[in-house]
């Protein structure tokens, strides 16, 4: 993003633009940040704000690189330690290369109680980490007193405890507190009353709060409301009052309302004032007093450092008692306080010198987002403290000897101080499978490297897989990648970058998808070697599949995901928790076929219509065309079969494509012009012919009323840039699928106009073909629709003519299907979708969307920002330690957060449910029964074996989609004597199959009772494995 011109580099920032918006992005590009302290937390913040795209960042640090730093700072290397380089010097080049648009400076100057702070006036935001409380107070007071105030953020991480403090001045205005896009909601009725009551159409929820304002548009009858904003008073989820409407015209029909976003001003107090009466965010409602308890403990730690010029010694009981006494003294002085938590204070004392890298990552993500808020006024700021502890990580380790936590002079000393040597060794031995190497994947690999997960010398391994190549838009979040990596595989590139952070890791990088087709690679024996699975995926179906494989193989799964500033983590542990597949989100609401085809109401409908047109014309039809000619040897053979009245699926559509196939650029322009006429003029004419404006329904109401919008035919005008863009982009796409060359000169307005002058556009002839209005009707499959005899004769004639004209050469029986690529502006794909959508919106009087919004909806782009990615990966990595330590159920935490609001909610994982079959026989999703057979083992033997082993006899057996035994099915009783080998027909290498069984209900008429899967082994010694 060039700060001078304020142009935003969409190829780099596209995903983040959808989170922050252009105004905030441009404000960031003019802002300077001073960041002091380059330990694990400082470097996390530096990474995130440089990726986001501020103007300048000054990295300040006075310390020298130590071996200890290798375990917390992912930009410090062994050679930096050996050459006694300063941390700022070591980190600077790595941070600077993260974003070419950000100017990065470094400073080693002393910053203490005697420093002249006037140099800070050149910055809009100051962030202090690793600074004594006295210095934080002094710098904060200076920043708060400036006009305008310099936004101040103080962050600290000591062992298991972290804090973030924000002070953005006494009047900090936020333009958009939530960042949520307001939705257009259609109106059912508005009463003419005092107060007037608005009811939403189709019982849709409005999502409003009393005191908010909405703006009305397109209301018929009560037209005085249009364009006005009214404050609402919520009556129900579907209705609200808007004040006196009794003097307005009676409501007729139609219209919609949109929430009006109103700026909000926040007032902040200084650190000095907030210390005694802190305003805190509560992340874990199971521990509501924790933030205030950590506040007191960390203030006591500040006092300890002032008195002793050091932190408490690792494992020193005397220091712990001193800190506990100090905490009690501090707590007594607080006006907002909770009872002192002695366990927390002792754990803080023991770990204060240590570092949990995932904790720094998690809080670094949150603190970075606060810095972006400070610079842009986008999203509600943190008021004013955020506290988090990881006591669940260390609580089970308190009985270990002090020796466990003592330093050994290596990169893991900081981690060891928190979790002990034995746990470090377990992490080294870990064998992890991570699916996905995108934004979360890169962050997870960084966490693995700092934790020492999967060391080669300990027989550990990190296996990663991702089939994708690196694109420029990835560089904004996927911090292991650089511009010279573009078009290289994500997994192998990430593996090399991870080894730079920690060369002792063993990383095995694959380029595979994880799906049923790759079960030969990611087989049960592959999963057997693993300790746990981590997903770093961006779609639900892939998650569901990986979850099913993890459950089947009894492996823990750590899942996470982000959407914009929102993030979630889910921890799935064998025999303790439910799995990802235990819950199903409601399916996404599909746009009805008739709405897309004829009655769009909102811009999302026109964008989806344009995207569908792209798919149909330039992907689906060429693919069907190619498949047809691959399956049929020649045009002559097809003609003979058609003449013999044979039914050939798709023949009519394929012959029509063959007849209309262009061979020159001019014909592509002609096709595009005819498409324009069909889409934007003839369609409207036909709709108005079938449903004139005064058409009424059976109940007497108007047909054309909200949400239905009557269309207006569009007259073609080459001077209209939208018309020109549609013609040229459509022609280019036709040229692409038909392999027709064209030059840059052919795309000029003059050249296109010359061709269009000769195009004969047929006159509109009204059709009596019915137009679908039923929202329940699905889109018909064109390939399977029956043809009339007239259409059959037409197809035969057209194919005869093509053969006679020698138009059935191998080249003409081949097309080039396109693949929609939203991020390449040179290919014309988005030009077509954006212009087609905008023209359709114009035809239906729908407010058009800009190209950015069109691209997001058409490309199904998930908004993303590095801050949220870093936070989820940190939270997941904390849980990984607990999984490795085989902690109890109550230790694990799932998390949902929205950094925009901000809200962070930590909850216990969902306990696994026990399903009752009968007679004290229960099972969970983690259970799997096993039966071992042999070559002559029959279905009857299998059912008897289940009864003998588990005390209940199955009445139905299913393998995949094949029913092996259902008593009511004809002939199935004979199968009881057939061998399992013959029924299942396994491949030679197949050792077992998983079967679904059901049991008889206790009462007649009830449904069959489900049971756990039964794994049937074809022999007792399948590869020596004894189940």
């Amino acid at each position: 993003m060039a700060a001078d011109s304020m142009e935003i580099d969409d190829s780099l920032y596209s995903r983040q633009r959808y989170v922050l918006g252009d105004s905030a992005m441009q404000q960031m590009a003019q802002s300077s940040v001073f960041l002091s302290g380059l330990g694990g937390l400082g470097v996390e913040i530096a990474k995130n704000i440089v990726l986001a795209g501020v103007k300048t960042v000054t990295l300040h640090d006075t310390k020298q690189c130590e071996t200890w730093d290798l375990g917390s700072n992912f930009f410090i290397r062994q050679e930096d330690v050996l050459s006694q380089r300063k941390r700022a010097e070591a980190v600077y080049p790595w941070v600077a290369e993260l974003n070419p648009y950000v100017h990065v400076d470094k400073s080693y100057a002393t910053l203490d109680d005697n420093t002249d702070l006037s140099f800070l006036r050149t910055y809009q935001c100051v962030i202090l980490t690793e600074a004594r409380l006295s210095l934080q107070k002094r710098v904060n007071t200076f920043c708060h007193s400036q006009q305008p105030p310099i936004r101040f953020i103080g962050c600290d991480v000591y062992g298991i405890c972290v804090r973030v403090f924000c002070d953005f001045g006494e009047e900090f205005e936020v333009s958009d507190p939530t960042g949520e896009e307001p939705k257009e909601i259609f109106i059912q009725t508005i009463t003419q009353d005092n107060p007037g009551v608005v009811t939403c159409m189709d019982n849709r929820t409005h999502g409003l709060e009393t005191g908010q304002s909405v703006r009305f548009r397109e209301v018929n009858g009560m037209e005085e409301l249009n364009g006005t904003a009214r404050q609402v008073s919520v009556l129900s989820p579907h209705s609200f009052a808007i004040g006196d409407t009794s003097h307005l015209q009676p409501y007729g029909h139609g219209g919609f309302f949109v929430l009006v976003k109103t700026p909000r001003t926040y007032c902040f107090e200084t650190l000095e004032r907030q210390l005694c009466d802190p305003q805190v965010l509560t992340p874990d409602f199971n521990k509501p007093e924790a933030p205030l308890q950590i506040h007191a403990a960390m203030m006591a730690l500040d006092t300890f450092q002032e008195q002793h010029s050091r932190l408490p010694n690792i494992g020193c009981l005397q220091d712990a008692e001193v800190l506990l006494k100090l905490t009690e003294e501090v707590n007594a002085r607080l006006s907002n306080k909770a009872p002192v938590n002695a366990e927390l204070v002792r754990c803080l004392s023991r770990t204060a010198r240590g570092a949990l890298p995932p904790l720094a990552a998690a809080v670094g993500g949150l603190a970075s987002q606060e810095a972006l808020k400070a610079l842009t006024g986008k999203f509600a700021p943190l008021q004013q403290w955020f506290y988090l502890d990881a006591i669940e990580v260390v609580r089970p380790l308190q009985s270990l000897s002090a020796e466990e936590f003592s330093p050994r002079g290596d990169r893991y000393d900081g981690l060891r101080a928190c979790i002990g040597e034995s746990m470090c060794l377990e992490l080294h031995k870990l064998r992890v499978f991570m699916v996905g190497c995108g934004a979360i994947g890169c962050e997870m690999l960084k966490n693995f490297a700092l934790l020492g997960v999967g060391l080669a010398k300990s027989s550990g391994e990190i296996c990663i897989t991702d089939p994708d190549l690196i694109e420029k838009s990835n560089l904004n979040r996927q911090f292991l990648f650089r511009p010279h990596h573009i078009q290289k595989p994500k997994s192998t590139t990430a593996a090399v970058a991870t080894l730079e952070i920690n060369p002792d890791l063993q990383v095995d990088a694959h380029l595979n998808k994880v799906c049923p087709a790759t079960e030969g690679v990611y087989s049960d024996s592959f999963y057997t070697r693993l300790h746990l699975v981590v997903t770093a995926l961006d779609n639900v179906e892939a998650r569901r599949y990986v979850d099913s494989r993890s459950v089947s193989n009894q492996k823990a799964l750590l899942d996470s995901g982000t959407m914009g500033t929102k993030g979630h983590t889910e921890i799935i542990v064998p025999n303790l928790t439910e799995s990802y597949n235990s819950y199903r989100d409601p399916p996404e609401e599909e746009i009805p076929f008739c709405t897309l085809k004829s009655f769009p109401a909102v811009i999302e409908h026109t964008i989806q219509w344009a995207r569908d047109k792209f798919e149909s014309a330039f992907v689906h039809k060429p693919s069907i065309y190619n498949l047809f000619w691959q399956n049929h040897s020649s045009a002559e053979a097809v003609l003979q079969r058609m003449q013999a009245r044979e039914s050939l699926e798709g023949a009519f559509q394929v012959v029509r494509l063959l007849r209309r196939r262009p061979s020159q650029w001019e014909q592509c322009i002609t096709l595009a012009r005819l498409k324009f006429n069909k889409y934007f003029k003839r369609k409207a004419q036909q709709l108005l012919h079938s449903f004139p404006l005064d058409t009424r329904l059976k109940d007497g109401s108007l047909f054309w009323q909200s949400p239905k919008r009557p269309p207006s035919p569009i007259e073609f005008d080459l001077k209209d840039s939208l018309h020109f863009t549609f013609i040229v982009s459509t022609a280019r796409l036709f040229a692409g699928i038909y392999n027709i060359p064209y030059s840059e000169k052919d795309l000029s307005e003059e050249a296109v106009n010359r061709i269009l002058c000769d195009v004969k556009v047929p006159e509109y002839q009204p059709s009596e073909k019915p137009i679908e209005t039923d929202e329940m009707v699905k889109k018909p499959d064109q390939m399977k629709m029956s043809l009339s005899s007239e259409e059959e004769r037409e197809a035969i004639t057209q194919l005869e003519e093509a053969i006679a004209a020698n138009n059935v050469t191998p080249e003409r029986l081949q097309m080039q299907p396109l693949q929609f690529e939203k991020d390449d502006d040179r290919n014309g794909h988005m030009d077509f979708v954006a212009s087609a959508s905008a023209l359709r919106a114009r035809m239906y009087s729908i407010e058009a969307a800009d190209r950015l919004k069109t691209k997001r909806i058409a490309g199904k782009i998930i908004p993303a920002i590095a801050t949220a990615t870093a936070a989820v990966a940190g939270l997941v990595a904390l849980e990984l330690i607990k999984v490795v330590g085989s902690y109890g159920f109550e230790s694990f935490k799932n998390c949902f957060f929205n950094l925009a609001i901000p809200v962070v909610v930590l909850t216990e994982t969902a306990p696994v449910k026990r399903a009752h079959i009968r007679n004290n026989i229960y099972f969970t999703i983690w259970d799997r029964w096993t039966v071992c057979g042999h070559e002559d083992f029959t279905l009857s033997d299998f059912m008897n074996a289940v009864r003998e082993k588990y005390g209940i006899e199955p009445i139905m057996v299913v393998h995949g989609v094949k029913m092996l035994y259902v008593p009511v099915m004809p002939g199935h009783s004979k199968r009881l004597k057939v061998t399992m080998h013959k029924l299942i027909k396994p491949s030679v290498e197949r050792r077992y199959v998983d079967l679904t069984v059901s049991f008889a209900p206790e009462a007649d008429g009830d449904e069959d009772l489900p049971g756990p899967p039964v794994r049937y082994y074809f022999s007792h010694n399948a590869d020596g494995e004894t189940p």
Side-chain angles (χ1 to χ4, degrees):
M1 181 162 46
D4 309 332
S5 63
M6 299 320 302
E7 283 181 18
I8 296 170
D9 184 349
D10 187 63
S11 61
L12 176 65
Y13 289 115
S14 64
R15 306 312 187 257
Q16 185 176 286
R17 283 177 87 175
Y18 296 121
V19 181
L20 297 177
D22 286 4
S23 174
M25 294 280 291
Q26 287 163 348
Q27 281 176 282
M28 279 197 310
Q30 299 175 75
S31 301
S32 300
V33 177
F34 180 83
L35 170 63
S36 178
L38 292 173
L41 180 54
V43 76
E44 282 284 350
I45 296 170
K47 161 179 65 77
N48 296 335
I49 61 176
V50 169
L51 287 172
V54 298
K55 182 182 179 182
T56 63
V57 176
T58 299
L59 304 175
H60 171 264
D61 193 277
T62 58
K63 294 179 182 174
Q64 198 169 289
C65 296
E66 298 180 43
T67 302
W68 185 284
D69 289 312
L70 297 173
S72 57
N73 188 318
F74 45 86
F75 282 153
I76 290 178
R77 305 287 178 259
Q78 185 70 46
E79 54 267 28
D80 299 322
V81 177
L82 295 173
S83 57
Q84 299 185 329
R85 204 170 280 149
K86 285 191 175 290
R87 292 200 306 191
E89 185 187 353
V91 165
Y92 163 77
W94 294 97
V95 174
E97 72 173 12
L98 287 172
N99 192 333
Y101 295 117
V102 179
H103 179 76
V104 180
D105 288 319
K106 56 184 182 292
S107 167
Y108 323 119
T110 301
L111 180 61
D112 59 21
D113 293 342
N114 301 312
T115 305
D116 179 359
L117 299 178
S118 58
F119 76 95
L120 293 175
R121 291 196 181 105
T122 59
Y123 300 96
Q124 282 72 50
C125 181
V126 171
I127 307 168
L128 298 188
T129 72
E130 300 189 350
R132 291 282 178 90
L133 187 62
S134 58
L135 179 61
Q136 288 189 47
K137 287 195 283 190
R138 180 170 180 252
V139 172
N140 172 238
T141 302
F142 174 83
C143 291
H144 191 92
S145 68
Q146 301 304 300
Q147 290 300 327
I150 301 167
R151 317 307 180 193
F152 174 85
I153 300 173
C155 311
D156 295 294
V157 54
Y158 290 106
I160 61 161
C161 291
V162 293
R163 71 179 167 199
V164 179
F165 171 79
C166 295
D167 173 10
F168 299 164
E170 285 168 24
E171 291 185 354
F172 180 69
E173 186 171 289
V174 172
S175 59
D176 179 3
T178 67
E180 299 295 333
E181 188 176 350
K183 289 185 168 56
E184 296 176 356
I185 298 181
F186 289 98
I187 297 164
Q188 188 76 48
T189 59
I190 307 175
T191 62
Q192 192 181 19
D193 206 346
N194 186 11
V197 175
V198 180
T199 305
C200 305
M201 183 170 281
D202 299 330
N203 271 342
R204 278 196 63 182
T205 54
H206 49 65
L208 299 171
E209 295 174 14
T210 295
Q212 291 181 320
S213 296
V214 296
R215 193 175 301 281
F216 292 91
R217 290 179 53 195
E218 299 183 19
V219 174
N220 289 282
M222 205 176 273
E223 290 170 7
E224 299 97 323
L225 281 178
N226 288 329
T228 66
R230 291 281 189 120
Q231 198 171 63
V232 309
S233 179
V234 172
L235 303 175
S236 80
H238 319 288
S239 63
F240 54 89
I242 55 167
D244 190 0
T245 59
S246 59
H247 60 286
L248 305 181
Q249 297 293 316
Y251 174 74
H253 63 85
F256 60 86
F257 62 86
V258 182
L259 173 69
V260 177
K261 291 220 166 194
T262 50
R264 186 177 162 192
T265 300
Y266 293 80
C267 178
F268 288 83
E269 292 183 334
T270 61
L271 179 59
E272 186 80 63
R273 290 186 65 139
Q274 274 281 308
L275 282 170
C276 292
D277 189 12
Q279 192 178 346
V280 297
L281 191 71
T282 303
D284 190 341
F285 291 103
N286 288 322
K287 304 190 297 187
E289 295 176 324
L292 291 174
Q293 290 172 338
I294 305 168
H295 179 78
M298 291 188 81
M299 278 185 69
L301 189 65
D302 295 318
T303 306
F304 186 101
Q305 289 186 82
E306 296 291 340
Q307 292 178 356
H308 300 274
S309 300
R310 64 172 175 85
L311 286 165
N313 288 319
I314 298 166
C316 177
L317 298 178
Q318 188 179 349
D319 281 355
E321 293 312 307
V322 170
L323 185 64
L324 182 58
K325 189 167 184 296
L326 286 172
T327 305
E328 287 164 349
E329 290 170 5
V330 166
N331 205 51
R333 298 195 298 269
L334 297 179
S335 52
N336 186 9
K337 59 185 161 190
V340 169
N341 183 336
E343 182 193 31
L344 175 79
V345 175
R346 291 189 176 105
C347 285
L348 173 60
S349 178
R350 181 172 64 71
T351 62
R353 286 175 178 261
L356 280 173
L359 198 55
V363 80
L366 181 137
S368 308
Q369 190 68 57
E370 293 307 310
L372 303 186
K373 294 175 189 179
L375 301 173
T376 65
K378 176 86 173 190
F379 305 138
L382 168 67
Q383 287 206 292
Q384 287 190 244
W385 299 89
F386 175 77
Y387 282 102
L388 187 65
D389 70 77
I391 195 166
E392 291 82 8
V393 173
V394 300
R395 181 175 281 140
L397 309 173
Q398 292 179 79
S399 59
L400 298 176
S401 67
E403 177 61 26
E404 269 280 326
F405 306 96
S406 300
R408 283 157 171 74
D410 63 16
R411 65 164 64 225
Y412 304 111
D413 276 350
L415 179 65
R416 189 177 286 112
C418 294
I419 64 171
E421 171 68 0
S422 299
M423 185 72 84
C424 286
L425 293 175
E426 290 302 312
L427 289 171
H428 300 342
K429 291 189 285 187
L430 209 58
R431 289 189 297 279
V432 180
F433 181 37
M434 186 172 77
V435 188
C437 292
I440 293 175
C442 285
E443 293 285 342
M444 284 305 304
L445 285 169
K446 168 207 71 186
N447 292 331
F448 291 160
L450 296 176
L451 290 171
V453 167
L455 299 193
K457 67 181 181 186
S458 304
S459 301
E461 183 181 75
I462 304 164
C463 178
I464 57 177
T465 188
D466 194 315
D468 290 349
L469 302 181
I470 297 161
E471 298 171 3
K472 188 177 178 182
S473 63
N474 300 148
L475 306 184
N476 175 236
R477 305 170 313 289
Q478 301 171 22
F479 86 102
L480 296 180
F481 307 143
R482 302 290 177 269
H484 61 271
H485 293 140
I486 290 171
Q487 288 306 299
K488 291 183 178 175
K490 286 186 176 182
S491 60
T492 51
T493 308
V496 171
T498 305
L499 290 172
E500 285 190 3
I501 300 172
N502 188 342
D504 298 333
L505 264 56
Q506 178 72 37
V507 186
D508 182 19
H510 299 184
L511 308 179
N512 304 316
K513 256 185 155 178
V514 179
C515 58
T518 55
E519 276 186 26
V521 181
Y522 307 115
S523 61
D524 289 345
S525 58
F526 169 84
Y527 279 90
T528 301
R529 297 192 297 271
L530 301 174
H531 292 109
L532 59 89
V533 180
V534 176
T535 53
L537 294 161
D538 61 0
N539 71 88
V540 170
E541 281 316 302
R543 281 191 177 98
R544 290 202 184 288
Y545 175 74
V546 175
D547 175 76
S548 67
R549 296 291 289 140
S550 300
V551 170
S552 175
N553 287 280
Q554 304 274 304
K555 300 299 174 188
L557 174 68
L558 308 182
D559 179 58
S560 60
T562 68
M563 180 176 282
T565 56
K566 300 183 183 103
H568 81 271
T569 66
E570 184 172 3
I571 313 308
I572 296 155
V573 185
N575 304 309
L576 294 182
T577 72
E578 290 286 83
S579 81
Y580 187 83
N581 279 306
S582 299
Y583 307 97
R584 294 263 170 179
D585 289 332
E588 268 189 51
E589 215 175 287
E590 276 191 15
I591 305 169
F593 168 64
C594 70
T595 301
L596 280 178
K597 189 171 173 61
S598 305
F599 307 111
V602 292
I603 194 63
E604 286 80 3
H605 297 164
T606 75
I607 294 170
Q608 188 58 53
W609 172 87
R611 181 69 181 83
D612 289 350
K613 286 297 176 195
F614 180 98
E615 202 67 22
S616 170
F618 309 117
V619 183
H620 182 66
K621 285 178 182 174
S623 301
I624 293 296
Y625 188 87
N626 289 347
L627 189 62
F628 183 89
W629 292 116
Q630 284 164 17
N631 292 335
H632 300 284
S633 55
S634 69
E636 290 78 8
V638 168
L639 179 61
Q640 282 180 1
R641 293 175 68 180
M642 289 173 73
Q643 287 168 335
R645 292 278 187 269
E646 274 192 56
S647 177
L648 296 180
E649 191 175 290
F652 178 72
Q653 288 81 7
V654 166
V655 171
R656 191 163 57 178
L657 283 169
L658 177 64
R659 181 178 70 86
R660 295 178 178 178
R661 183 180 182 123
S663 54
Q664 298 171 312
W665 168 250
E666 290 77 6
Q667 292 169 318
C668 295
I669 292 283
T670 301
L671 264 179
R673 175 66 184 86
L674 295 175
K675 287 289 183 192
F676 183 99
N677 196 62
K678 176 185 176 183
Y679 293 160
F680 310 119
K681 185 177 181 183
R682 209 170 76 208
K683 176 70 178 178
Q685 290 171 321
Q686 183 58 43
L687 275 166
L688 294 173
H689 168 77
S690 300
F691 306 106
L693 290 176
D694 58 358
T695 303
R696 290 191 177 269
L697 300 171
K698 288 177 183 174
D699 64 1
S701 61
L702 281 167
F703 177 85
W704 291 111
Q705 65 168 300
S706 183
K708 286 190 176 70
R709 298 165 173 270
S712 302
I714 297 177
E715 293 295 337
F716 180 74
D717 178 5
L718 188 63
K719 290 188 172 57
D720 187 313
S721 62
L722 206 53
H723 296 205
F724 178 75
T725 301
F726 177 82
I727 295 293
V728 170
S729 61
T730 308
R732 286 179 65 199
L733 298 179
F734 277 128
I737 62 172
Y738 291 119
N739 207 17
I740 295 169
Y742 59 89
S743 67
E744 201 64 38
K745 193 177 173 185
D746 291 329
L747 305 179
S748 70
E749 190 176 329
E750 185 187 347
V752 171
N753 199 20
R754 198 165 50 245
I755 299 167
L756 289 175
C757 287
D758 298 327
V759 176
K760 298 284 186 288
V761 178
E763 286 293 313
Y764 164 65
Q765 298 293 327
S767 164
E768 299 311 317
K769 187 178 173 186
I771 292 174
E772 187 58 69
T773 60
D774 185 349
E775 293 191 355
M776 304 310 291
V777 172
K778 301 289 183 188
K779 182 178 180 179
D781 187 340
Q782 297 287 336
M783 305 300 288
K784 292 181 178 169
M785 289 174 71
S786 57
L787 301 178
S788 66
S789 55
E790 187 183 334
E791 287 174 323
E792 285 180 354
R793 284 196 300 275
E794 185 187 338
I796 291 168
T797 304
Q798 289 172 359
L799 188 52
E800 285 173 339
E801 289 171 357
I803 292 169
N806 199 26
N807 281 342
V808 290
T809 59
E811 297 78 35
R812 290 182 70 82
L813 299 185
Q814 179 72 29
M815 290 170 73
Q816 299 290 330
L818 303 178
Q819 188 172 358
F820 183 65
E821 177 44 69
K822 58 193 175 291
D823 287 321
D824 184 356
D825 282 339
R826 299 164 301 176
N827 61 20
H829 297 193
M830 272 309 303
D831 289 341
F832 171 84
V833 171
S835 60
S837 168
L839 283 163
R840 189 166 173 85
R842 187 182 291 180
M843 183 169 105
Y844 283 95
S845 302
I846 296 169
E847 188 177 339
D850 61 19
R851 187 183 177 94
L852 195 68
K853 180 175 178 179
T854 303
K855 177 175 163 180
R856 173 175 63 79
I857 295 169
K860 293 182 167 56
I861 293 173
I862 299 172
I865 189 165
T867 51
T869 309
V872 291
L875 291 165
V876 165
L878 276 177
E879 300 304 308
L880 175 140
I881 297 171
K882 302 174 192 175
V883 172
V884 172
S886 301
Y887 288 11
F889 172 81
E890 66 289 341
S891 298
F892 296 103
K893 298 284 181 184
N894 287 342
C895 182
F896 168 79
F897 64 71
N898 184 350
L899 299 181
I901 303 179
V903 62
V904 180
V905 181
L906 292 159
T907 59
E908 284 190 349
T909 53
V912 66
K913 293 188 181 82
R914 294 175 77 216
H916 179 226
I917 304 177
R918 65 168 186 235
N919 302 340
N920 290 323
I921 302 173
Y922 294 87
F923 73 97
T924 75
I925 56 166
W926 296 100
D927 288 321
R928 185 177 62 227
W929 295 353
T930 56
V931 171
C932 292
H934 48 76
E935 198 169 337
D936 300 323
F937 206 74
T938 64
L939 178 58
S940 179
D941 292 334
F942 169 80
M943 293 170 76
N944 290 333
V946 172
R947 187 188 66 238
E948 288 169 16
K949 193 170 181 182
Y950 298 105
I952 188 165
E953 184 172 352
I955 60 160
M956 188 165 78
V957 184
V958 178
H959 175 223
V961 294
K962 183 183 176 185
M963 290 184 284
L964 299 184
Y965 179 70
V966 181
V968 297
M969 296 289 281
H972 273 218
S973 58
K974 293 177 184 175
R975 292 185 175 183
L976 291 169
K977 295 177 182 176
V978 179
T979 66
M980 296 293 280
H981 256 85
K982 193 174 273 189
L983 281 172
I984 294 167
K985 300 182 178 66
S987 55
V988 177
E989 69 278 1
R990 192 82 197 217
R991 298 182 298 113
Y992 57 80
V993 289
D994 288 328
L995 303 174
T996 303
V997 296
S998 299
F999 306 98
E1002 292 188 74
D1004 289 344
D1006 288 354
E1007 288 188 9
D1008 291 346
L1009 303 169
V1014 178
R1015 178 160 289 185
Y1016 173 69
Y1017 287 84
F1018 292 105
S1019 64
H1020 277 278
N1021 58 342
D1023 283 357
E1025 182 179 328
T1026 304

